[in-house]
């Protein structure tokens, strides 16, 4: 209400506020990540050089990758690298063979985003559709079936779901390939075809949350006086749900969708490993194993940014679907 | 209307439109089915307005929407018949009933603010019934809606429909809903307490609008309310319901002049309660030139000064938004004033709650409007009343228990209540417990914020009598916030009239309630419905004459 007193539209104002808050969060996350990496025990140079680690080579290597400088200075150098979009150099760089972190990450991130979008395009409409139908025919056999089916799929570990799908759709009936190996030359349709199994696995994992929230949010509204009014106006069941309940149910639904989409980007490493899909999750795990800290840091920051951005979007959509804020008095 | 102010204009009564025979409805709570409507017969003719009156829980609302063949979730029809214009509403298919709803029988709900969908524009909701039932195309429906908005004297009839429900006032929303109900020119409209949530001054306009539209289209109507004076203005015939049964039924004038049943008479009696006023020069609380606001928003209180004499009752009267509850928050310290001060026994009170010591807190207590939300549902009565006894007076063990029993006696409840939970006692008993909780602190001033407005009329009377008795016994002062003039007559010594954050008038009850009035006081007092069935006609005529 306070915002309404200013000339700026309250929605724009809130969006800017949230955006500023998101940037602040990202800054705090960057500090936390750097501090954690700093606190890790052991000497990176020794680890990476392995048997070749003589005091001279270690000192030379530390100088080369900048580890000889104080922590604070390294943090600011890193922030500078992040801002330019390069994320610095990987520890696997050698003289004459620079490996920018950005070059390592970009193709992997693209792959992850591709799989995430493909899953989202299947899962979100499916979840909404099932959720609305379950609310419309609640307590019917359909409702119960959808509920128990989605509960079953969410209760099973994702690698298990992946192997079950693989067994049926790749081994017994050889419809889809069991490995989702793609590179930047793979044509789009081929890419979609190879990603089908991982996308299906992820769909089964995330659809339950979204569908149940859609159903719950709608049913929650069915007790409101304006729903009773719509019924007493003789509106059909589907119109009551689609026109009178759904527009008021977006806020909780969108929040769950955002949460699950974030999971599709930051939490799919298991599925990537099972299908040997070259995504960013695998890259991060590999980087942790080889102590390639610039890559780990960059991945962590990208994951944090994903969460912040998706939650921000969800917040904005919740606000924008609230007519009190969209149309102030 | 104006040419005939002694008798309601004659309305054509046609053949029977709605007939209920021995109707029985049950409701479920905790997996057990209880009867709600226990065999009711109801006959309504075309063009007739039937008033349904009774306390909350009497089943009036359930009976009203049963006319549409609709039972709320958790309710079911268990016997009898409902025949609407030859259609058996209990036997016909759901699809047939759906087609009737909205088009031939429509419904006007109690709270327009809750009954409009917040996500859609008013015009879309108004014409939805017609367009969805395929009665009219949306263009002519909009034209008709605009025409109806105009007849219902809504401001800017051509553009008001573009607004969202939260963008118009409660009284306007209620009129838009009436327009929505009439769009299909139904044979029957169910009005379910359409003015209960409104202020009296707004209520008058809505009542006048509803009546004119019902008369204009010669629509039959069932008018549900708990307010006798309101139903007297609206109905041709009145049915009194209690516990799902018919108590009495007769034409309005007959019912008002000669009620037969004891219960009906008791509904009338409440309005007769009046306390002789008393004065005192000993001031307990004095509010001096107080301004207050929430955050940086506009001032809610503007230079308010009020004096409360010791052992007396000062009624603070005003409509919603007048600032009366904010005044209570300033006195209790919940909202520190931005200007001015509050003196208690001649000493300035620290403005904020946190700055007041235990002794200051003890001396001012509060009782709230809704006893349902003011009691922690998990606390037994022992904890509710025991907490202030322990907190302020340090009582424990048998002494504490003895004091709780004494307090229960004071509020006319026996000691068996001590172990009960709020969910196990009635609304009136809950409000008594709230009174006991306030008394436990042994306060000098009790702020009563609309303490009777959530209660039924008979229970209201009991609570008011209890408050008066306690005042006489313990010399307690009351700051009594209310919007109900009947309550004011019953309890006040002095009256403060508030409007838009300012004090309009302040004086003894006789001074304020007798002419000459300031303009606002007159508007407020004249808007309080009276039992006379011609009251609304006379009032509208008087106001029309004045404005000419």
């Amino acid at each position: 209400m306070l915002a309404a007193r200013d000339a700026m539209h309250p929605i724009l104002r809130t969006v800017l506020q949230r955006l500023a808050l998101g940037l602040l969060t990202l800054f705090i996350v960057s500090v936390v990540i750097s501090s954690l990496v700093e606190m890790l025990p052991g000497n990176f140079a020794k680890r990476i050089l392995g048997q070749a680690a003589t005091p001279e080579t270690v000192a030379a290597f530390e100088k080369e990758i900048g580890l000889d400088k104080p922590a604070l200075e390294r943090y600011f150098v890193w922030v500078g690298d992040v801002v330019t979009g390069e994320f610095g150099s990987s520890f696997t760089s050698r003289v004459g063979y620079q490996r920018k972190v950005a070059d390592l990450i970009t193709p992997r991130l693209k792959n992850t985003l591709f799989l995430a979008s493909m899953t989202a395009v299947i899962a979100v409409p499916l979840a909404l559709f099932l959720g609305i139908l379950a609310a419309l025919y609640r307590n019917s056999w359909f409702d119960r079936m959808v509920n128990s089916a989605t509960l079953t799929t969410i209760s099973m570990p994702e690698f298990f779901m992946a192997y079950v799908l693989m067994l049926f759709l790749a081994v017994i009936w050889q419809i889809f390939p069991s490995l989702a190996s793609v590179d930047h030359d793979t044509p789009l349709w081929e890419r979609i075809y190879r990603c089908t199994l991982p996308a299906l696995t992820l769909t089964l994992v995330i659809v339950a949350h979204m569908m149940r929230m859609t159903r719950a949010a709608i049913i929650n509204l069915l007790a409101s006086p304006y729903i009773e009014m719509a019924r007493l106006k003789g509106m059909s069941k589907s119109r009551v749900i689609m026109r009178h309940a759904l527009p008021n149910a977006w806020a909780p639904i969108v929040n769950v969708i955002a949460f699950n989409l974030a999971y599709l980007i930051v939490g799919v490493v298991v599925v990537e490993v099972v299908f040997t899909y070259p995504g960013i999750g695998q890259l991060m795990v590999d980087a942790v194993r080889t102590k390639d800290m610039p890559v780990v840091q960059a991945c962590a920051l990208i994951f944090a940014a994903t969460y912040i951005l998706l939650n921000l979007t969800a917040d904005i959509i919740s606000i924008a679907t609230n007519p009190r804020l969209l149309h102030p008095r | 209307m104006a040419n005939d102010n002694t008798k309601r204009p004659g309305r054509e009564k046609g053949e029977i439109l709605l007939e209920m025979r021995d109707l029985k409805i049950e409701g479920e709570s905790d997996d057990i089915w209880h009867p709600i409507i226990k065999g009711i017969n109801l006959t309504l003719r075309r063009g007739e307005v039937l008033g349904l009156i009774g306390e909350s829980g009497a089943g009036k609302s359930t009976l009203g929407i049963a006319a549409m063949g609709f039972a709320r979730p958790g309710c079911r029809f268990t016997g009898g018949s409902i025949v609407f214009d030859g259609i058996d509403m209990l036997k016909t298919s759901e699809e047939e009933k759906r087609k009737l709803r909205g088009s031939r029988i429509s419904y006007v709900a109690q709270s327009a603010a809750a009954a409009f969908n917040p996500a859609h524009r008013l015009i879309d909701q108004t014409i939805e019934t017609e367009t969805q039932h395929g009665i009219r195309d949306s263009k002519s429906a909009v034209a008709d809606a605009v025409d109806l908005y105009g007849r219902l004297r809504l401001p800017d009839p051509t553009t008001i429909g573009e607004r969202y429900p939260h963008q118009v006032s409660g009284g306007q929303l209620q009129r838009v809903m009436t327009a929505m109900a009439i769009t299909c020119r139904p044979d029957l409209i169910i009005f379910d307490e359409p003015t209960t949530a409104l202020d009296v001054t707004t209520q008058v306009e809505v009542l006048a609008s509803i009546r004119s539209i019902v008369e204009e289209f010669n629509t039959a109507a069932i008018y549900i309310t708990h307010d006798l004076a309101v139903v007297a203005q609206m109905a041709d015939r009145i049915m009194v319901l209690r516990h799902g049964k018919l108590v009495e039924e007769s034409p309005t004038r007959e019912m008002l002049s000669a009620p037969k049943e004891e219960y009906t008479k008791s509904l009338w009696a409440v309005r007769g309660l009046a306390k002789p006023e008393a004065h005192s020069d000993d001031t307990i609380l004095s509010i001096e030139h107080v301004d207050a606001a929430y955050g940086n928003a506009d001032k809610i209180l503007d230079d308010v000064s009020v004096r409360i004499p010791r052992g007396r009752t000062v009624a603070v009267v005003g409509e919603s938004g007048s600032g009366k509850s904010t005044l209570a928050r300033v006195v209790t310290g919940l909202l520190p004033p931005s200007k001015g001060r509050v003196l208690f026994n001649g000493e300035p009170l620290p403005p904020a709650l946190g700055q007041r010591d235990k002794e200051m807190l003890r001396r001012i207590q509060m009782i709230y409007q809704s006893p349902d939300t003011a009691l922690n549902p998990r606390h037994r009565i022992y904890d509710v009343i025991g907490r202030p006894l322990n907190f302020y007076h340090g009582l424990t063990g048998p002494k504490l228990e003895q004091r709780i029993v004494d307090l229960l006696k004071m509020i006319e409840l026996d000691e068996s209540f001590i172990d009960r939970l709020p969910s196990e006692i009635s609304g009136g008993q809950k409000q008594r417990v709230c009174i006991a909780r306030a008394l436990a602190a042994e306060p000098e001033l009790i702020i009563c914020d609309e303490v009777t407005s959530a209660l039924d009329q008979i229970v209201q009377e009991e609570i008011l009598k209890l408050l008066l008795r306690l005042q006489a016994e313990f010399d307690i002062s009351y700051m009594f916030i209310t919007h109900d003039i009947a309550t004011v007559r019953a309890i006040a010594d002095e009256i403060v009239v508030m409007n838009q954050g300012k004090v309009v008038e302040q004086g003894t009850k006789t001074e304020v309630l007798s002419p000459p009035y300031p303009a606002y006081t007159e508007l407020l007092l004249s808007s309080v419905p009276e039992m006379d069935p011609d009251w609304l006609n006379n009032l509208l005529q008087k106001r029309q004459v004045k404005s000419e």
Side-chain angles (χ1 to χ4, degrees):
Chain A
M1 281 301 106
L2 270 180
R5 292 155 62 83
D6 292 342
M8 204 191 284
H9 195 281
I11 298 240
L12 186 64
R13 201 186 144 95
T14 321
V15 168
L16 290 179
Q17 268 174 359
R18 295 291 160 99
L19 214 54
L21 258 178
L23 282 176
L24 180 71
T25 317
L26 207 55
F27 165 71
I28 295 171
V29 168
S30 75
V31 172
V32 171
I33 292 172
S34 301
S35 323
L36 284 178
V37 167
E38 209 55 51
M39 277 186 274
L40 284 179
N43 183 308
F44 297 121
K46 273 186 193 159
R47 286 279 178 84
I48 290 166
L49 291 174
Q51 291 187 330
T54 64
E56 296 78 41
T57 53
V58 167
F61 185 65
E62 284 192 335
K63 193 160 187 229
E64 188 188 324
I65 61 177
L67 270 178
D68 55 337
K69 296 188 184 112
L72 199 63
E73 192 184 327
R74 271 184 286 133
Y75 172 72
F76 283 113
V77 170
W78 180 58
V79 169
D81 286 342
V82 169
V83 172
T84 57
E86 290 189 334
F87 292 94
S89 306
S90 161
F91 282 177
T92 56
S93 304
R94 294 291 175 274
V95 182
Y97 175 56
Q98 268 280 342
R99 293 184 80 186
K100 291 282 175 210
V101 173
D103 298 338
L104 282 171
I105 285 181
T106 312
R108 296 299 195 102
L109 184 61
K110 273 187 188 158
N111 284 343
T112 295
L113 287 177
F114 179 79
L115 181 59
S117 326
M118 188 171 156
T119 311
V121 165
I122 303 170
V124 174
L126 181 71
L128 291 178
F129 180 71
L130 289 178
I132 291 169
L133 279 187
L136 192 56
Y137 301 106
R138 65 185 177 289
N139 302 329
S140 67
W141 64 267
F142 172 81
D143 180 23
R144 270 166 226 179
M145 202 193 68
V146 169
N147 260 310
S148 45
T150 49
L151 251 189
T152 314
T153 60
I154 202 179
S155 315
M156 295 212 231
E158 42 199 1
F159 69 85
F160 181 73
M161 288 303 308
Y163 285 129
V164 168
L165 284 180
M166 221 187 267
L167 176 67
F168 284 102
L169 297 178
V171 180
I172 299 182
W173 301 291
Q174 294 172 359
I175 306 172
F176 297 109
S178 59
L179 293 186
S181 48
V182 293
D183 54 48
H184 63 276
D185 293 330
T186 318
L188 180 67
W189 282 111
E190 183 64 22
R191 197 179 272 262
I192 291 176
Y193 174 64
R194 289 191 191 172
C195 285
T196 307
L197 281 188
L200 273 184
T201 310
L202 289 172
T203 299
L204 289 177
V205 172
I206 65 167
V207 113
H209 270 144
M210 296 189 287
M211 172 260 153
R212 290 167 77 86
M213 181 52 89
T214 307
R215 179 183 179 274
I218 289 177
I219 286 180
N220 191 23
L221 287 176
L222 292 184
S224 341
Y226 59 79
I227 296 296
E228 184 180 279
M229 190 72 207
R231 288 206 182 109
L232 290 176
K233 277 160 81 179
M235 297 299 119
S236 63
K237 250 184 165 184
S238 53
R239 189 170 169 92
V240 167
I241 301 262
M242 297 302 289
R243 171 113 182 133
H244 289 277
L246 193 58
N248 294 293
W250 280 124
I253 297 174
V254 164
N255 270 300
V256 169
I257 291 180
F259 193 80
N260 279 289
L261 293 188
Y263 164 82
L264 284 182
I265 293 172
V266 310
V268 294
V269 62
V270 173
V271 174
E272 285 176 7
V273 171
V274 171
F275 291 99
T276 59
Y277 185 75
I280 198 168
Q282 278 214 53
L283 177 71
M284 187 177 184
V285 171
D286 291 343
V288 169
R289 200 179 297 131
T290 57
K291 303 284 178 282
D292 194 351
M293 284 311 141
V295 175
V296 175
Q297 275 178 309
C299 288
L301 199 66
I302 287 171
F303 290 171
T306 307
Y307 261 103
I308 292 169
L309 202 67
L310 283 168
N311 278 306
L312 183 76
T313 317
D315 277 359
I316 293 170
I317 293 178
S318 320
I319 294 165
T321 55
N322 182 344
R324 280 172 193 278
L325 292 167
L326 200 58
H327 309 276
R329 268 171 180 279
Chain B
M1 235 189 297
N3 59 0
D4 182 6
N5 68 345
T6 49
K7 229 180 103 207
R8 189 70 62 75
R11 307 216 326 143
E12 273 186 43
K13 310 288 185 288
E15 75 272 28
I16 290 175
L17 178 69
L18 176 74
E19 186 151 40
M20 298 184 184
R21 283 283 156 262
D22 196 29
L23 184 68
K24 292 189 176 99
I25 302 175
E26 288 184 348
E28 185 192 15
S29 64
D30 303 326
D31 289 331
I32 304 165
W33 290 92
H34 305 277
I36 298 178
I37 299 292
K38 304 165 184 167
I40 283 192
N41 296 323
L42 179 152
T43 309
L44 184 69
R45 293 176 177 280
R46 285 188 182 275
E48 188 183 24
V49 179
L50 172 69
L52 284 185
I53 188 159
E55 299 176 21
S56 57
K60 357 180 246 305
S61 226
T62 312
L63 189 63
I65 50 176
M68 310 178 85
F70 186 87
R72 291 209 162 104
C75 292
R76 65 178 184 197
F77 295 105
T78 48
S81 67
I82 303 167
V83 177
F84 171 78
D85 201 22
I87 307 161
D88 188 332
M89 298 297 276
L90 297 187
K91 298 216 174 89
T92 187
S93 73
E94 198 55 41
E95 186 58 20
E96 286 303 312
K97 281 190 280 185
R98 190 178 73 70
K99 283 181 186 155
L100 286 178
R101 288 178 193 148
S103 63
R104 294 196 62 202
I105 316 176
S106 59
Y107 178 73
V108 176
Q110 171 169 2
S111 166
F116 272 108
N117 193 325
H120 301 298
R121 294 178 194 278
L122 292 174
I123 189 77
D124 296 335
Q125 301 193 51
T126 308
I127 65 166
E128 188 182 18
T129 333
E130 292 162 281
T131 52
Q132 286 299 306
H133 284 295
I135 294 174
R136 253 191 267 228
D137 63 275
S138 67
K139 208 176 152 202
S140 70
V142 168
D144 180 57
V146 168
D147 173 51
L148 286 171
Y149 290 161
R151 292 196 206 198
L152 288 161
R153 292 198 302 283
L154 280 160
D156 312 317
T158 44
T159 54
I160 194 167
E162 295 304 312
R163 299 199 208 165
Y164 283 84
H166 68 274
Q167 292 172 315
V168 304
S169 74
Q172 290 169 356
L173 266 188
Q174 201 60 264
R175 274 181 275 170
V176 173
M177 183 143 56
T178 307
M180 182 162 87
I182 203 92
T183 48
C184 296
R185 307 295 184 266
D187 302 302
L188 170 63
I189 306 182
I190 318 286
F191 292 97
D192 191 356
E193 307 240 15
T195 61
T196 306
L198 304 176
D199 286 317
V200 281
T201 52
T202 324
Q203 172 172 274
V204 170
E205 291 165 21
V206 174
L207 287 179
S209 299
I210 290 178
R211 216 175 64 184
S212 70
I213 214 100
V214 165
E215 280 170 6
E216 204 163 325
F217 296 104
N218 202 27
T219 316
I222 293 179
Y223 197 99
I224 299 163
T225 177
H226 66 273
D227 191 336
L228 274 164
V230 165
V231 84
Q233 312 308 315
M234 309 304 288
D236 302 308
R237 194 156 49 93
I238 298 178
M239 285 173 74
V240 181
L241 296 189
R242 190 186 195 195
H243 305 318
K245 279 190 182 147
L246 180 71
V247 176
E248 192 175 349
E249 176 179 3
S250 55
T252 303
R253 279 169 200 277
E254 210 172 290
M255 171 85 72
L256 292 177
S257 55
K260 291 185 205 82
E261 300 295 321
E262 269 314 303
Y263 176 72
T264 316
K265 284 178 196 160
S266 74
L267 286 174
W268 267 236
V270 183
R271 306 199 147 243
L273 196 66
K275 166 194 140 146
E277 67 186 47
H279 302 286
S280 167
D281 291 327
D282 184 7
T283 304
I284 183 160
L285 185 86
S286 140
I287 300 165
E288 295 180 349
H289 307 289
V290 159
D291 284 6
Y294 294 101
N296 296 319
D298 295 335
K299 266 193 246 176
I300 306 289
L301 295 180
D302 186 0
D303 196 28
V304 169
S305 297
V306 170
R307 186 189 83 97
I308 298 181
R310 186 180 304 282
R312 299 289 172 257
T313 303
V314 174
V316 181
V317 191
E319 302 184 51
S320 53
S322 62
K324 37 190 209 310
S325 289
T326 306
L327 189 61
R329 291 174 66 87
V330 167
V331 174
T332 52
L334 288 169
L335 179 71
S338 50
K339 215 187 96 214
R341 57 180 191 161
V342 181
L343 300 178
F344 190 72
N345 285 327
E347 306 266 322
L349 271 177
L353 192 63
Q355 303 162 330
R356 299 186 184 178
D357 61 29
K358 219 187 227 188
E359 183 59 14
M360 282 180 200
L361 296 178
R362 183 187 66 75
R363 291 154 84 179
I364 303 178
Q365 293 292 313
M366 189 144 181
I367 308 172
Y368 298 88
Q369 171 168 9
S370 166
D372 292 320
T373 52
L375 294 176
N376 186 327
R378 299 265 170 194
H379 282 182
R380 295 189 182 277
I381 307 307
Y382 176 91
D383 305 308
V384 173
I385 304 179
R387 170 68 187 153
L389 289 172
N390 178 269
F391 180 74
Y392 292 118
H393 306 293
L395 294 185
T396 49
K399 268 190 184 166
L400 175 69
E401 196 162 333
Q402 185 52 46
R403 182 72 187 140
I404 296 174
V405 172
D406 290 347
L407 280 163
L408 283 173
K409 266 188 206 138
M410 269 183 232
I411 55 162
E412 294 151 19
L413 295 179
D414 66 65
E415 53 191 280
S416 70
F417 278 83
I418 200 164
D419 287 325
R420 297 211 199 164
L421 287 168
S423 57
E424 296 166 343
I425 62 179
S426 74
Q429 286 165 344
K430 278 183 218 170
Q431 196 57 294
R432 283 171 190 266
V433 169
C434 291
I435 293 173
R437 174 170 64 183
L439 276 184
E442 294 170 25
E444 292 167 46
L445 173 71
I446 297 183
I447 298 172
C448 304
D449 191 355
E450 302 267 13
V451 291
T452 55
S453 45
L455 304 172
D456 289 319
Q457 304 223 356
I458 294 177
V459 184
Q460 280 187 20
E461 187 191 14
E462 290 166 4
I463 294 289
L464 292 178
K465 280 184 176 160
L466 173 67
L467 286 171
L468 287 174
R469 205 198 77 217
L470 293 171
Q471 180 168 54
E473 252 170 72
F474 302 105
D475 202 31
I476 304 169
S477 319
Y478 293 130
M479 177 170 153
F480 202 95
I481 295 165
T482 182
H483 66 274
D484 182 27
I485 303 293
T487 311
V488 173
R489 288 211 172 89
I491 198 162
D493 296 300
E494 294 191 10
I495 299 177
V496 175
V497 181
M498 289 189 70
N499 185 29
Q500 295 174 356
K502 291 196 172 98
V503 172
V504 176
E505 198 182 4
Q506 177 168 11
T508 63
K509 182 160 63 177
T510 349
E511 279 166 18
V512 174
L513 294 184
S514 48
Y517 308 114
Y520 179 73
T521 312
E522 168 151 22
L523 176 71
L524 192 66
L525 289 179
S526 70
S527 301
V528 178
E530 290 166 18
M531 299 293 274
D532 174 10
D534 298 320
W535 167 81
L536 185 60
N537 284 342
N538 295 340
L539 177 73
L540 293 174
Q541 207 182 13
K542 232 189 280 172
R543 287 194 181 167
Q544 202 178 1
V545 169
K546 238 185 201 173
S547 65
E548 279 164 9

